[in-house]
Coordinates of all heavy atoms in Angstrom, one line a residue:
W1 N 0.8 -1.1 0.0 CA -0.1 0.0 0.0 C 0.8 1.2 0.0 O 2.0 1.2 0.7 CB -0.9 -0.1 1.2 CG -1.9 -1.1 1.2 CD1 -1.8 -2.4 1.6 CD2 -3.2 -1.0 0.6 NE1 -2.9 -3.1 1.4 CE2 -3.8 -2.3 0.8 CE3 -4.1 0.1 -0.1 CZ2 -5.1 -2.6 0.4 CZ3 -5.3 -0.4 -0.5 CH2 -5.8 -1.5 -0.2
R2 N 0.4 2.4 -0.7 CA 1.0 3.6 -0.8 C 0.4 4.6 0.0 O -0.7 4.8 -0.2 CB 1.2 3.9 -2.2 CG 1.8 5.3 -2.5 CD 1.8 5.6 -4.0 NE 2.3 7.0 -4.2 CZ 2.7 7.4 -5.4 NH1 2.7 6.7 -6.5 NH2 3.0 8.7 -5.5
V3 N 1.1 5.2 0.9 CA 0.5 6.3 1.7 C 0.4 7.6 0.9 O 1.4 8.1 0.3 CB 1.3 6.6 3.0 CG1 0.8 7.8 3.7 CG2 1.5 5.5 3.9
L4 N -0.8 8.1 0.7 CA -1.1 9.3 0.0 C -1.1 10.5 0.9 O -0.7 11.5 0.5 CB -2.5 9.2 -0.7 CG -2.6 7.9 -1.7 CD1 -4.0 7.9 -2.2 CD2 -1.6 8.3 -2.9
S5 N -1.7 10.4 2.1 CA -1.6 11.5 3.0 C -1.9 11.1 4.5 O -2.3 9.8 4.7 CB -2.9 12.6 2.6 OG -4.1 11.9 2.9
L12 N -4.4 7.9 4.4 CA -5.1 7.5 3.2 C -4.1 6.7 2.5 O -3.1 7.3 2.1 CB -5.6 8.8 2.6 CG -6.4 8.7 1.3 CD1 -7.6 8.0 1.5 CD2 -6.6 10.0 0.5
V13 N -4.5 5.5 2.0 CA -3.6 4.8 1.3 C -4.3 4.1 0.1 O -5.5 3.8 0.0 CB -3.1 3.5 2.1 CG1 -2.2 4.1 3.4 CG2 -4.2 2.6 2.6
I14 N -3.5 3.9 -1.0 CA -3.9 3.3 -2.2 C -3.1 2.0 -2.4 O -1.9 2.0 -2.2 CB -3.9 4.2 -3.4 CG1 -4.6 3.6 -4.6 CG2 -2.5 4.7 -3.7 CD1 -4.8 4.5 -5.9
S15 N -3.7 0.9 -3.0 CA -2.9 -0.2 -3.4 C -1.7 0.2 -4.3 O -1.9 1.0 -5.3 CB -3.7 -1.4 -3.8 OG -4.3 -1.0 -5.2
N16 N -0.6 -0.5 -4.0 CA 0.5 -0.3 -5.0 C 0.3 -0.7 -6.4 O 0.7 -0.3 -7.4 CB 1.8 -0.8 -4.5 CG 2.4 0.1 -3.4 OD1 2.4 1.2 -3.6 ND2 3.1 -0.6 -2.6
Y75 N -2.4 13.5 -5.9 CA -1.5 12.6 -5.2 C -0.4 11.9 -6.1 O 0.6 11.4 -5.4 CB -2.2 11.4 -4.5 CG -3.3 11.9 -3.5 CD1 -4.6 11.7 -3.5 CD2 -2.6 12.7 -2.3 CE1 -5.4 12.1 -2.4 CE2 -3.6 13.2 -1.4 CZ -4.9 12.9 -1.4 OH -5.8 13.3 -0.4
F76 N -0.6 11.9 -7.4 CA 0.5 11.3 -8.3 C 1.0 12.5 -9.1 O 0.3 13.3 -9.8 CB -0.1 10.3 -9.2 CG -0.6 9.0 -8.4 CD1 -1.8 9.0 -8.0 CD2 0.3 8.0 -8.3 CE1 -2.3 7.8 -7.3 CE2 -0.1 6.8 -7.6 CZ -1.4 6.7 -7.3
T77 N 2.3 12.8 -9.0 CA 2.8 13.9 -9.7 C 3.2 14.0 -11.1 O 3.4 15.1 -11.7 CB 4.2 14.1 -8.8 OG1 5.2 13.1 -9.2 CG2 4.1 14.5 -7.5
D81 N 4.2 8.4 -12.6 CA 3.9 8.1 -11.3 C 2.5 7.4 -11.2 O 2.4 6.6 -10.2 CB 3.8 9.3 -10.4 CG 3.9 9.2 -9.0 OD1 4.5 8.2 -8.6 OD2 3.4 10.0 -8.3
R82 N 1.6 7.6 -12.2 CA 0.4 6.9 -12.1 C 0.4 5.5 -12.8 O -0.6 4.8 -12.7 CB -0.7 7.8 -12.7 CG -1.2 8.9 -11.9 CD -2.4 9.6 -12.5 NE -2.0 10.4 -13.8 CZ -1.5 11.7 -13.7 NH1 -1.4 12.3 -12.6 NH2 -1.3 12.3 -14.9
L83 N 1.4 5.2 -13.4 CA 1.6 3.8 -14.1 C 1.3 2.7 -13.1 O 1.9 2.9 -11.9 CB 2.9 3.6 -14.7 CG 3.2 4.6 -15.9 CD1 4.6 4.3 -16.4 CD2 2.1 4.4 -17.1
R146 N -7.6 -0.2 -8.0 CA -6.7 0.2 -7.1 C -7.5 0.7 -5.9 O -7.8 1.8 -5.9 CB -5.6 1.1 -7.5 CG -4.7 0.5 -8.7 CD -3.7 1.5 -9.1 NE -2.7 1.7 -7.9 CZ -1.7 2.5 -8.1 NH1 -1.5 3.3 -9.2 NH2 -0.8 2.7 -7.1

Side-chain angles (χ1 to χ4, degrees):
W1 293 86
R2 174 180 172 164
V3 176
L4 300 174
S5 69
L12 180 67
V13 299
I14 188 171
S15 63
N16 280 325
Y75 295 123
F76 293 90
T77 58
D81 196 26
R82 285 188 288 273
L83 294 176
R146 294 181 73 181

